[in-house]
Amino acid sequence: MLNKYARAFFTRVLTPFAALLIRIGVSPDAVTLVGTGGVVAGALIFYPLGEFFWGTVVITLFVFSDLVDGNMARQLGRSSRWGAFLDSTLDRVADSAIFGGLALWYAGRGDSLMLCGMAIFCLASGQVVSYTKARGEAIGLPVDVNGLVERAERLVVTLVACGLSGLHVFGVPGIEILLPIALWIVGIGSAVTLGQRVVTVRRESAEADAIAQGGNSA
């Protein structure tokens, strides 16, 4: 749901900026690479140190590259399979860095093996949720379901909770509890989404096999 409405809004907002980058000769692939590098640096430098507020500020600034590069490609008329592959692949890298940075914090100074495990589960389940759709489409199925928690929801819930939790260093009491809550929400939501997609692929594959067998028998 967030993908549908948030992307439309931010695409309109970022179109002038995308046009400016095109005019000065920046390529969409360069924006993708710089954006991913910024997210990875922000997550793996700040989060393991417990600097959630500033880490989230840095990550959020670079996350918008995911919208800018696609906008640039459309303006240039250069949408390609390579661009889609690069963008999707680096999205996985960025997501891994975010949850990996949180896992490092909880494995170290955060001192919670349970929350370290939950951050790792969020990382792994998010990758598998994306894989199920890609794999289903690769074998010719529509995978006509989004599920409860897509990538946009995972990022928004996690980054908002991280940023707000980081306000405890400015004297806001008790707010750091938001991050553990967010990790449980994302973890459970991802598990539900994975189940929804697996069930959908099973149903669609059975229907496709039945149609193929019917055609062969005819």
Side-chain angles (χ1 to χ4, degrees):
M1 185 175 292
L2 285 176
N3 273 335
K4 178 180 179 180
Y5 296 105
R7 278 186 176 271
F9 172 76
F10 284 112
T11 295
R12 290 194 298 270
V13 171
L14 295 172
T15 292
F17 179 62
L20 172 63
L21 292 177
I22 291 171
R23 285 198 297 273
I24 63 177
V26 178
S27 72
D29 287 353
V31 172
T32 303
L33 291 168
V34 170
T36 302
V39 171
V40 170
L44 295 182
I45 291 173
F46 289 96
Y47 281 0
L49 298 175
E51 295 287 347
F52 297 127
F53 178 78
W54 294 113
T56 300
V57 169
V58 172
I59 291 168
T60 301
L61 290 175
F62 284 101
V63 158
F64 285 108
S65 67
D66 190 43
L67 299 176
V68 173
D69 57 5
N71 193 311
M72 292 171 66
R74 285 189 294 273
Q75 290 189 46
L76 290 168
R78 294 182 187 171
S79 296
S80 65
R81 290 182 177 87
W82 163 249
F85 169 81
L86 181 66
D87 189 56
S88 179
T89 300
L90 294 184
D91 281 349
R92 308 287 83 76
V93 173
D95 293 356
S96 297
I98 291 171
F99 290 106
L102 294 174
L104 287 172
W105 162 251
Y106 284 116
R109 290 168 56 191
D111 193 25
S112 175
L113 289 180
M114 182 178 68
L115 290 175
C116 174
M118 180 53 66
I120 293 172
F121 179 79
C122 289
L123 188 163
S125 59
Q127 304 299 312
V128 177
V129 164
S130 298
Y131 175 79
T132 53
K133 189 172 183 67
R135 181 58 179 157
E137 291 172 344
I139 60 176
L141 301 174
V143 196
D144 190 19
V145 62
N146 290 320
L148 181 64
V149 177
E150 297 182 82
R151 181 174 186 259
E153 285 84 358
R154 292 196 301 271
L155 282 181
V156 169
V157 170
T158 303
L159 292 179
V160 169
C162 280
L164 291 177
S165 293
L167 293 177
H168 80 278
V169 300
F170 299 106
V172 180
I175 200 164
E176 59 268 24
I177 192 63
L178 291 178
L179 181 52
I181 292 172
L183 287 176
W184 280 99
I185 290 173
V186 171
I188 294 171
S190 296
V192 171
T193 304
L194 176 60
Q196 290 175 302
R197 291 190 175 182
V198 168
V199 168
T200 298
V201 169
R202 186 176 188 280
R203 173 178 53 79
E204 290 177 348
S205 62
E207 292 172 352
D209 289 345
I211 292 172
Q213 290 173 3
N216 291 335
S217 63

